[in-house]
């Protein structure tokens, strides 16, 4: 997309994407991990009606919740605190709803469907569709405005997830509206601890940095940082892949009181995940400026920020998917307390660091937060859950 937009428009896109992600997390009200956990348990118990109720009620909660959060920004825009024109703001709101819808669907389907079914629409088909459109525009030397680009991101994603949900036999089961609204209200009440942890992880992490950059600095500086963040995010994909395999096992282990299967799976996956992440990090260290310049020659200035972000992701990957394990193992309250402390410190440092050091200061804060949080939570997982999801589990097994 950077090839068919100018630097300023790409900065606006980065700002909108990050803001939409924040709205999607805020509007999800803790349904993501709860949907995965509840779906895995319902499927284990062969309760098809409960599975249908979980899926429909959680999807309804995230869509309505994200719309409500987007509407809360209307006064901020009216008073000039949010510098987005009407078309861009509307596109951003639709993108936020699509992201929330897609993320909840992925978590729900991971509880009982295959990983391929859960991820293909969002992580493959959507990206390929966007890539195909952008390559076609680039081939004919056409460009996109910021508003058109954000619409292009949101509408196809929403359509793909709608088709995916419609293809699932459980979600096609009829549920009375009264029962559906009652279940949705109950899920909102019980999802608040999980909502707090997911929101704090997002607010204090690199997703917030482009938003702060967009408020403090110019769109020209948001674009390079957003590009660096998206490249560094490749390192986290290996952990996400591992978590997708382990998460249903953790949910079932918590229900059955037995995590032996989870620990065995982690021992085999952690080595592959850590090695793949290390190789990717070395590529970023030596070729990061070249990768950024492929998107836009002006983005090469973000190479130091890319290296710092990559280091933070590498450390967190070596610790394993510790926040997910704590959420699914019934330890969400202690996770929330730890995240509140660490994220408050990060937020206190993020604004002045961004003002004085630009994108590199923002990268140091977000990478440091990610590394320190995962290291601390690793010890919590070992103490509270009794499993070791980190690279060090290989040595403990050998011992």
């Amino acid at each position: 997309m950077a090839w068919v937009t100018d630097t300023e428009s790409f900065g606006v896109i980065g700002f909108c994407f990050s803001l939409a992600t924040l709205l999607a997390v805020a509007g999800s009200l803790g349904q993501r991990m709860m949907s995965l956990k509840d779906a895995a348990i319902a499927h284990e118990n062969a309760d098809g009606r409960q599975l249908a109720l979980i899926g429909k009620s959680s999807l309804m909660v995230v869509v309505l919740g994200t719309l409500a959060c987007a509407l809360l920004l209307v006064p901020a825009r009216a008073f000039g605190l949010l510098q987005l024109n009407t078309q861009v703001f509307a596109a951003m709101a639709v993108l936020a709803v699509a992201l929330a819808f897609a993320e909840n669907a992925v978590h729900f389907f991971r509880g009982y469907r295959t990983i391929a079914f859960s991820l293909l629409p969002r992580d493959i088909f959507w990206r390929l569709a966007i890539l195909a459109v952008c390559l076609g525009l680039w081939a004919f030397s056409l460009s996109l405005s910021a508003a058109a680009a954000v619409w292009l991101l949101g509408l196809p994603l929403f359509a793909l997830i709608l088709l995916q949900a419609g293809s699932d036999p459980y979600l096609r089961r009829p549920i009375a509206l009264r029962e559906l609204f009652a279940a949705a209200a109950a899920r909102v009440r019980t999802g608040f601890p999980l909502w707090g942890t997911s929101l704090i992880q997002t607010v204090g992490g690199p997703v917030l940095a482009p938003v702060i950059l967009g408020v403090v600095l110019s769109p020209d500086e948001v674009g390079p940082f957003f590009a660096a963040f998206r490249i560094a995010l490749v390192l986290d994909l290996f952990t996400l892949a591992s978590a997708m395999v382990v998460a249903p096992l953790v949910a079932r282990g918590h229900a059955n009181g037995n995590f032996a299967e989870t620990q065995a799976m982690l021992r085999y996956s952690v080595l592959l995940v850590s090695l793949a992440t290390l190789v990717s990090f070395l590529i970023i260290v030596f070729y990061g400026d070249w990768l950024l310049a492929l998107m836009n020659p002006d983005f090469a200035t973000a190479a130091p920020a890319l290296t710092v972000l990559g280091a933070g992701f590498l450390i967190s990957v070596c610790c394993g998917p510790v926040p997910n394990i704590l959420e699914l193992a019934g330890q969400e309250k202690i996770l929330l307390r730890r995240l509140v402390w660490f994220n408050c410190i990060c937020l206190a440092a993020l604004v002045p660091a961004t003002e004085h050091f630009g994108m590199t200061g923002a990268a140091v804060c977000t990478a440091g937060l990610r590394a320190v949080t995962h290291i601390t939570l690793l010890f919590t997982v070992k103490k509270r859950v009794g499993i070791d999801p980190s690279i060090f589990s290989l040595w403990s097994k050998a011992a």
Side-chain angles (χ1 to χ4, degrees), residues 96-115:
V97 172
L99 290 173
F101 189 29
E103 189 68 23
N104 191 79
V106 167
H107 280 75
F108 172 70
F109 288 130
R110 276 168 53 195
Y112 68 100
R113 298 292 298 258
T114 64
I115 292 178

Side-chain angles (χ1 to χ4, degrees), residues 15 73 75-84 215:
F15 177 83
L73 291 180
R77 181 175 169 271
F79 286 105
L81 300 176
L82 189 62
Q83 299 293 330
L84 294 176
V215 173

Side-chain angles (χ1 to χ4, degrees), residues 287-368:
Y287 301 102
D289 54 349
W290 178 78
L291 291 171
L292 288 163
L294 277 179
M295 302 176 72
N296 189 314
D298 295 336
F299 293 173
T301 57
L306 173 58
T307 302
V308 172
L309 288 170
F313 278 113
L314 176 63
I315 294 171
S316 66
V317 166
C318 291
C319 292
V322 283
N324 307 83
I325 292 174
L326 287 172
E327 285 181 307
L328 293 168
Q331 302 294 324
E332 61 271 9
K333 291 184 179 179
I334 188 171
L335 174 63
L336 178 59
R337 290 197 297 269
R338 298 284 175 84
L339 291 177
V340 166
W341 281 105
F342 285 121
N343 282 274
C344 285
I345 295 172
C346 177
L347 288 175
L350 188 56
V351 174
T354 303
E355 288 179 335
H356 294 289
F357 302 104
M359 67 181 78
T360 302
V364 169
C365 288
T366 53

Side-chain angles (χ1 to χ4, degrees), residues 29 68 76 128 138 188 264 268 283 294 310 312 356 358 370:
L29 301 175
L128 287 178
W138 177 74
V188 170
Y268 291 110
I283 293 173
L294 277 179
H356 294 289
R370 191 174 185 88

Side-chain angles (χ1 to χ4, degrees), residues 27-379:
S28 294
L29 301 175
Q31 297 305 303
R32 298 176 177 185
M33 297 306 296
M34 191 165 71
S35 296
L36 191 156
K37 180 180 178 180
D38 292 347
I41 295 172
H43 186 252
E44 184 80 4
N45 296 332
D47 192 344
R49 178 170 177 76
Q50 181 64 18
L51 201 55
L53 192 59
I54 291 167
K56 288 191 171 185
S57 60
S58 64
L59 290 173
M60 183 177 71
V61 168
V62 300
V63 170
L64 295 179
T66 305
L67 274 176
C69 289
L71 290 175
L72 291 176
L73 291 180
V74 173
R77 181 175 169 271
F79 286 105
L81 300 176
L82 189 62
Q83 299 293 330
L84 294 176
N85 64 45
T86 304
Q87 288 187 350
V88 175
F89 181 80
M92 183 277 300
V94 171
L95 175 60
V97 172
L99 290 173
F101 189 29
E103 189 68 23
N104 191 79
V106 167
H107 280 75
F108 172 70
F109 288 130
R110 276 168 53 195
Y112 68 100
R113 298 292 298 258
T114 64
I115 292 178
F117 180 86
S118 304
L119 297 181
L120 278 176
R122 186 194 65 175
D123 290 352
I124 303 297
F125 298 151
W126 176 52
R127 284 170 168 79
L128 287 178
I130 302 301
L131 180 62
V133 172
C134 290
L135 285 176
L137 292 171
W138 177 74
F140 289 98
S141 300
L142 300 174
S143 62
L144 284 174
S145 66
V150 179
W151 281 115
L152 177 62
L153 289 171
L155 291 177
L157 177 61
F158 191 85
L160 281 170
I161 303 304
L162 198 61
L163 289 172
Q164 180 190 32
S167 69
D168 183 75
Y170 292 108
L171 292 183
R172 291 201 303 267
R173 289 190 177 189
I175 300 289
L177 274 180
R178 189 171 184 176
E179 185 179 7
L180 189 60
F181 277 102
R187 294 189 68 81
V188 170
R189 289 193 297 269
T190 56
F192 271 113
L194 293 173
W195 173 77
T197 57
S198 62
L199 181 61
I200 290 173
Q201 288 183 79
T202 304
V203 168
V207 174
L208 183 62
V211 177
I212 292 179
L213 281 169
V215 173
V216 176
L217 305 174
S218 66
D220 290 342
E221 295 184 81
V222 180
F225 183 88
F226 184 69
F229 167 56
R230 301 310 297 182
I231 293 175
L233 199 60
V234 172
L235 275 67
D236 200 41
L237 294 178
F238 302 109
T239 295
L240 293 175
S242 175
M244 287 168 193
V245 176
V246 173
L249 299 178
V250 175
R252 287 194 286 268
H254 175 57
N256 302 328
N258 184 7
F259 289 102
E261 186 182 5
T262 306
Q263 181 65 80
M265 177 64 71
L266 283 168
R267 279 201 186 97
Y268 291 110
S269 65
V270 67
L271 178 61
L272 296 175
V273 169
S274 299
L275 287 176
T277 306
L278 178 60
V279 171
S280 301
F281 175 69
L282 292 176
I283 293 173
I284 283 176
V285 170
F286 292 107
Y287 301 102
D289 54 349
W290 178 78
L291 291 171
L292 288 163
L294 277 179
M295 302 176 72
N296 189 314
D298 295 336
F299 293 173
T301 57
L306 173 58
T307 302
V308 172
L309 288 170
F313 278 113
L314 176 63
I315 294 171
S316 66
V317 166
C318 291
C319 292
V322 283
N324 307 83
I325 292 174
L326 287 172
E327 285 181 307
L328 293 168
Q331 302 294 324
E332 61 271 9
K333 291 184 179 179
I334 188 171
L335 174 63
L336 178 59
R337 290 197 297 269
R338 298 284 175 84
L339 291 177
V340 166
W341 281 105
F342 285 121
N343 282 274
C344 285
I345 295 172
C346 177
L347 288 175
L350 188 56
V351 174
T354 303
E355 288 179 335
H356 294 289
F357 302 104
M359 67 181 78
T360 302
V364 169
C365 288
T366 53
L369 170 70
R370 191 174 185 88
V372 172
T373 300
H374 277 73
I375 291 171
T376 306
L377 293 179
L378 172 60
F379 289 101

